[in-house]
Every structure is written in structure tokens, then in C-alpha cells.
Amino acid sequence: ADPARRTACAETIPGRSGELRAVRRISYEGTPAYVFVFNDAGRRVAYVVSAECGQSPALPAPVLDTVR
């Protein structure tokens, strides 16, 4: 994703905290998606969000899965 859209998406992920460390485009259960990895007090937390994330910054990101 372009940097502006990536930032818009990251800011709307419910429950996110910490510093954004990585973003990757992936396929999640056959659907295009992104995984955002945050560093929260030395602990990595990953959020899988739909590929539409960031298109409408006023809406929360549709989180498909979380890995803590």
C-alpha cells in the first residue's frame, strides 16, 4: 500500500498500540489482505486486515485475525 493509505489503515486498527514495525501484503484464507506488526513494550502483535483498509479513514479497520 502507498504510505498515506498504510498510515490511514494503521491508525484505524482497533486495539492497536505500540510502534508499527512492518507491513506486508498477504493472502489470508484466499483473500487479499495486509498484516501489520506492532512492537508493544517488547512484545510483537500482528493484525491481519482486509485489503480495503485505509480506503475510508473514518471507518475502523476490518480486522480478520490477531496474533499476540
Side-chain angles (χ1 to χ4, degrees), residues 1-54:
D2 68 73
R5 185 169 165 201
R6 180 179 62 221
T7 299
C9 181
E11 291 175 353
T12 63
I13 296 173
R16 70 153 175 96
S17 63
E19 179 185 356
L20 180 61
R21 303 297 295 167
V23 179
R24 291 274 188 232
R25 184 173 174 89
I26 64 168
S27 177
Y28 179 78
E29 297 182 352
T31 302
Y34 290 94
V35 63
F36 284 75
V37 180
F38 293 87
N39 183 18
D40 186 13
R43 185 178 62 134
R44 305 262 189 229
V45 181
Y47 298 90
V48 178
V49 298
S50 74
E52 292 80 29
C53 185

